[in-house]
Amino acid sequence: MEHSKIVKEIQGRLFALQDSAYRDFNSKLIPSVMPDKIIGVRTPALRKLAKEYAGHHDIATFLECLPHDYYEENNVHAFIIETVRKFEDCLRLTELFLPFIDNWATCDSFAPPVFKAHTGELSASIERWIRSSHAYTVRYAIGMLMRFYLDEDFSPRYLAAVADVHSDEYYVNMMRAWYFATALAKQYDATVPYIEQKRLDGWTHAKTIQKACESRRITAEQKAQLRLLK
C-alpha cells in the first residue's frame, strides 16, 4: 500500500528516537526480523508514541496500512490497539493485525486490557486463532490463554486445546511450554496429568518441566515430582 502522510510521519518520529546500539542488541534477540527492519526504539518510547497517536484524526489510515515496513511500526500499531476501549472494535482491529505479526516480541507484548473484561466473548476467537496456520497467531492465542484463562476463567478444555497444537515452529512450542509451566503453577492438579501421561511432544514436555522447575511459584515437592517425570 502506498505510504500515507501519517505513516511517513510516524516513521519519521521513530527514526528521531533511534538508538543504534539498542537496534544492534535487539536485532540479535529477534532473528525472524531482518536487521534493516529494526530501527532501535525502546518500548516505553513506543508506548508513549502510541498513546500520542491513538487519538489522531487519521489513525485509522495507519492501522489499515499493512504490512508495515518496520518492527517498531508493528509495535506502535499493537499499542494503539491496546488503547481501544470498546471490545468489538478492539477485537476487529486485532483480527486484522494478527496475520502481520512476524516475531515473538510484538506477539508477546500485545495484550489489550479490554480483553480481560470480556473473556467469555473472547474465548471463541482464541479457539479459532489457535487452529491458525500462522505461527504467531497460534502463539498469540496460547499467550491469551496463559494471561487470562488460568485463574477464575480457567477450564480444562484450554489445556487440551494447547496440548492438541502440533507444530514444528520453535516459537509456537516455546509458548506451549511456557503455558504449561504457568498452568502447573496455577492449576497444578489439573495440569500435571499432561506431564505424567506424556501428552506433549518430547521437546515441549522437557521444556515445560525445565521452566516449571525454574519457577518460584511451584513448590519444592512439586518440582521433585516433575523431575521424576522427565
Side-chain angles (χ1 to χ4, degrees), residues 5-100:
K5 180 180 178 180
I6 190 171
V7 172
K8 292 178 180 177
E9 181 179 322
I10 289 175
Q11 288 181 350
R13 294 287 301 278
L14 289 169
F15 274 99
L17 294 166
Q18 184 178 50
D19 179 334
S20 297
Y22 182 68
R23 175 199 61 202
D24 296 343
F25 169 77
N26 223 18
S27 66
K28 296 175 183 178
L29 301 179
I30 314 172
S32 64
V33 179
M34 297 297 292
D36 63 352
K37 297 298 182 182
I38 298 177
I39 298 171
V41 183
R42 297 178 184 273
T43 298
L46 295 175
R47 289 192 175 276
K48 183 177 180 181
L49 192 66
K51 187 175 181 180
E52 177 184 339
Y53 274 94
H56 192 285
H57 69 90
D58 199 26
I59 197 59
T61 301
F62 174 75
L63 297 177
E64 292 169 0
C65 285
L66 292 164
H68 293 303
D69 288 338
Y70 297 101
Y71 161 75
E72 285 84 358
E73 282 184 275
N74 276 329
N75 286 3
V76 168
H77 189 129
F79 299 153
I80 289 171
I81 294 175
E82 287 186 338
T83 70
V84 177
R85 296 182 180 180
K86 186 176 180 181
F87 172 73
E88 293 78 8
D89 292 342
C90 189
L91 181 61
R92 176 181 60 81
L93 290 170
T94 298
E95 294 268 15
L96 291 172
F97 182 54
L98 283 177
F100 298 95

Side-chain angles (χ1 to χ4, degrees), residues 6-206:
I6 190 171
V7 172
K8 292 178 180 177
E9 181 179 322
I10 289 175
Q11 288 181 350
R13 294 287 301 278
L14 289 169
F15 274 99
L17 294 166
Q18 184 178 50
D19 179 334
S20 297
Y22 182 68
R23 175 199 61 202
D24 296 343
F25 169 77
N26 223 18
S27 66
K28 296 175 183 178
L29 301 179
I30 314 172
S32 64
V33 179
M34 297 297 292
D36 63 352
K37 297 298 182 182
I38 298 177
I39 298 171
V41 183
R42 297 178 184 273
T43 298
L46 295 175
R47 289 192 175 276
K48 183 177 180 181
L49 192 66
K51 187 175 181 180
E52 177 184 339
Y53 274 94
H56 192 285
H57 69 90
D58 199 26
I59 197 59
T61 301
F62 174 75
L63 297 177
E64 292 169 0
C65 285
L66 292 164
H68 293 303
D69 288 338
Y70 297 101
Y71 161 75
E72 285 84 358
E73 282 184 275
N74 276 329
N75 286 3
V76 168
H77 189 129
F79 299 153
I80 289 171
I81 294 175
E82 287 186 338
T83 70
V84 177
R85 296 182 180 180
K86 186 176 180 181
F87 172 73
E88 293 78 8
D89 292 342
C90 189
L91 181 61
R92 176 181 60 81
L93 290 170
T94 298
E95 294 268 15
L96 291 172
F97 182 54
L98 283 177
F100 298 95
I101 295 179
D102 60 0
N103 67 90
W104 68 266
T106 301
C107 186
D108 294 3
S109 63
F110 172 41
V114 72
F115 283 175
K116 186 175 183 179
H118 294 270
T119 52
E121 298 153 272
L122 182 64
S123 62
S125 296
I126 292 175
E127 291 181 30
R128 176 165 43 80
W129 297 339
I130 207 170
R131 298 191 297 271
S132 172
S133 60
H134 179 238
Y136 291 102
T137 299
V138 178
R139 182 180 172 101
Y140 188 75
I142 299 170
M144 291 295 97
L145 290 177
M146 182 173 68
R147 188 183 295 264
F148 296 131
Y149 296 86
L150 284 176
D151 296 300
E152 62 269 17
D153 292 307
F154 172 73
S155 170
R157 76 177 190 274
Y158 299 134
L159 294 170
V162 178
D164 287 344
V165 171
H166 299 287
S167 176
D168 295 326
E169 293 282 351
Y170 170 84
Y171 288 107
V172 170
N173 288 325
M174 181 58 81
M175 180 57 84
R176 293 173 70 228
W178 187 8
Y179 170 84
F180 271 99
T182 306
L184 285 166
K186 292 190 171 188
Q187 302 287 345
Y188 188 85
D189 291 342
T191 306
V192 73
Y194 283 82
I195 309 304
E196 293 172 332
Q197 299 166 18
K198 297 187 183 297
R199 294 177 60 179
L200 307 176
D201 60 274
W203 187 92
T204 305
H205 175 92

